[in-house]
């Protein structure tokens, strides 16, 4: 059932997440049946009984795991055989092409920093994901929570990483990169945003200046950069708005007989809408800036989200995302040094 073209499997932290290991294992089985090789990392005594007859996925056994309530860095440092840390180690050792976890995000970041290390020139890794735009495209946004307070230099590095992602994963030749703010004018924004403008202008990206959230979501750019606090609030606001829109639409449909009849004709459109906007369809976000492909998923992930995250991890690994980010950062640093001389 494995995909012979992709020799290295995806290392999947089977013990991370609110519904682990059951939901994780079901998602892994779906991935294997779709032709993606998976290596489950976790307690084999809990995982193996979940396999249906005829299914046998490799397991890297460990009884150590990091709970959602534990201090991430301290737990990962103390538990050298924790499932999330072993999964990251598999990528570092060349036994896996990517790591996927739905557990504690801080623990995954700590594990990757310890086992994989940062890309040379990257001060802080960032969490990156995409949002649907009104023009049918996708908006790359980072950081989404890894770094609450950021220096201007870090925002500049985020711009480069977002640009590389848009080019090599979304196949956009010259993505427009914007800096998230409350207005387009240079005088707008807080001290952090205004201080980052000249830094981003020097980066080897198609920087278009400050952008407001509505412009970014309406197709004004392909990549938007912000610190982790702002990005996380924006992401949750968009998710909440999508949920509210769906709830209001459902209320209107159920309240009118003619609307119910019309809804039957639009059933396919509603299904496609859910696929484009649901968290399960997205699967997870990327942790960029570390030496390897890393996907971080929501703790409440169901098997559909697990499958989606595995597919995204496989795609990013095939595109060599981490290596291409490293090349772009090296070029950006060389350009910055040349400007200073």
């Amino acid at each position: 059932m494995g995909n012979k073209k992709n020799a290295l499997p995806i290392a999947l932290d089977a013990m991370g997440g609110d519904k682990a290991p059951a939901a994780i294992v079901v998602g892994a089985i779906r991935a294997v049946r779709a032709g993606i090789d998976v290596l489950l990392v976790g307690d084999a005594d809990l995982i193996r009984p979940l396999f249906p007859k005829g299914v046998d996925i490799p397991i890297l056994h460990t009884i150590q795991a990091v709970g959602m309530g534990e201090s991430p860095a301290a737990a990962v440092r103390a538990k050298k055989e924790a499932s999330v840390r072993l999964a990251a180690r598999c990528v570092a050792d060349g036994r896996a092409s990517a790591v996927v976890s739905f557990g504690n995000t801080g623990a995954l970041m700590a594990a990757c920093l310890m086992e994989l290390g940062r890309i040379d020139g990257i001060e802080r890794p960032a969490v990156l994901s995409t949002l649907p735009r009104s023009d049918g495209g996708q908006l790359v946004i980072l950081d989404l929570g890894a770094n609450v307070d950021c220096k201007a230099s870090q925002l500049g590095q985020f711009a480069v990483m977002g640009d590389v992602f848009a080019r090599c994963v979304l196949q956009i030749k010259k993505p427009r990169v914007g800096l998230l703010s409350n207005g387009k004018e240079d005088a707008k924004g807080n001290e952090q945003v205004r201080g980052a403008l000249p830094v981003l202008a020097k980066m080897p990206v198609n920087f278009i200046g400050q952008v407001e959230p509505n412009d970014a979501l309406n197709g004004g750019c392909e990549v938007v950069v912000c610190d982790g606090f702002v990005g996380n609030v924006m992401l949750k606001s968009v998710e909440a708005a999508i949920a509210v829109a769906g709830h209001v639409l459902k209320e209107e449909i159920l309240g009118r007989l003619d609307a119910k009849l019309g809804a039957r004709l639009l059933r396919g459109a509603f299904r496609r809408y859910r696929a484009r906007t649901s968290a399960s369809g997205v699967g997870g976000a990327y942790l960029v800036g570390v030496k390897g492909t890393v996907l971080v998923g929501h703790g409440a992930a169901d098997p559909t989200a697990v499958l989606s995250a595995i597919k995204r991890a496989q795609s990013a690994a095939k595109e060599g995302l981490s290596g291409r980010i490293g090349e772009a950062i090296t070029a950006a640093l060389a350009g910055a040094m040349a400007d200073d001389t």
Side-chain angles (χ1 to χ4, degrees):
M1 288 188 290
N3 184 356
K4 300 307 179 184
K5 292 181 180 180
N6 184 28
L8 295 177
I10 306 296
L12 182 59
D13 173 17
M15 311 312 293
D18 301 338
K19 302 174 183 177
I24 311 301
V25 172
V26 174
I29 292 169
R30 292 181 184 178
V32 170
R33 286 174 172 164
I36 304 173
D37 290 327
V38 175
L39 171 63
L40 289 165
V41 184
D43 190 337
D45 293 335
L46 297 177
I47 296 170
R48 190 162 281 115
L50 299 171
F51 291 168
K53 188 176 180 180
V55 172
D56 186 19
I57 301 175
I59 302 171
L60 179 59
H61 174 68
T62 179
I63 60 171
Q64 291 187 349
V66 178
M68 296 298 283
E70 293 187 73
S71 173
V76 171
R77 194 174 292 110
K79 299 177 179 179
K80 292 182 171 56
E81 301 300 308
S83 57
V84 65
R85 186 163 178 179
L86 279 185
R89 193 177 302 160
C90 286
V91 177
D93 294 345
R95 288 181 285 168
S97 60
V99 55
V100 177
S101 177
F102 297 87
N104 189 308
T105 301
L108 176 61
M109 183 165 161
C112 289
L113 288 174
M114 291 177 190
E115 297 293 341
L116 299 172
R118 288 189 296 268
I119 292 172
D120 293 340
I122 294 291
E123 297 173 44
R124 295 286 296 173
V127 176
L128 175 156
S129 191
T130 58
L131 293 171
R133 296 188 325 213
S134 63
D135 64 348
Q138 294 186 68
L139 175 68
V140 178
I141 178 170
L142 72 166
D143 177 32
L144 292 175
N147 310 281
V148 174
D149 296 303
C150 296
K151 297 186 293 184
S153 58
Q154 293 166 351
L155 291 173
Q157 293 161 19
F158 296 170
V160 175
M161 292 193 289
D163 172 78
V164 172
F165 180 90
R167 285 189 287 109
C168 74
V169 176
L170 301 183
Q171 304 299 314
I172 300 171
K173 290 185 178 180
K174 193 175 181 181
R176 296 163 297 168
V177 180
L179 179 63
L180 193 64
S181 184
N182 63 334
K184 299 178 182 179
E185 301 81 7
D186 288 353
K188 293 281 189 175
N190 57 15
E191 185 177 346
Q192 178 195 59
V193 168
R194 294 194 300 273
L197 284 172
V199 175
L200 268 73
K202 292 181 180 180
M203 294 294 109
V205 300
N206 181 21
F207 181 55
I208 63 170
Q210 299 185 95
V211 294
E212 297 181 50
N214 59 323
D215 288 332
L217 290 167
N218 285 329
C221 61
E222 284 73 43
V223 179
V224 66
V225 173
C226 52
D227 68 46
F229 175 78
V230 172
N232 196 270
V233 170
M234 180 175 171
L235 175 65
K236 290 177 178 176
S237 297
V238 171
E239 290 175 341
I242 290 171
V244 169
H247 179 74
V248 171
L249 184 59
K250 185 177 180 180
E251 277 190 342
E252 290 295 323
I253 291 173
L254 294 178
R256 292 170 58 98
L257 179 59
D258 57 345
K260 289 182 181 179
L261 295 174
R264 290 189 178 184
L265 298 175
L266 295 172
R267 191 172 298 168
F270 290 148
R271 187 164 52 247
R272 291 189 295 273
Y273 170 80
R274 286 195 298 269
R276 289 178 60 187
T277 60
S278 71
S280 293
V282 173
Y286 300 81
L287 181 65
V288 292
V290 294
K291 294 178 180 178
T293 302
V294 182
L295 261 288
V296 51
H298 196 283
D302 58 16
T304 301
V306 174
L307 174 60
S308 297
I310 292 172
K311 286 181 176 179
R312 295 188 103 188
Q314 182 196 43
S315 176
K318 283 184 175 180
E319 293 293 341
L321 177 62
S322 179
R324 292 173 72 167
I325 286 175
E327 293 170 1
I329 287 295
T330 298
L333 292 175
M337 291 177 63
D339 290 340
D340 291 338
T341 57

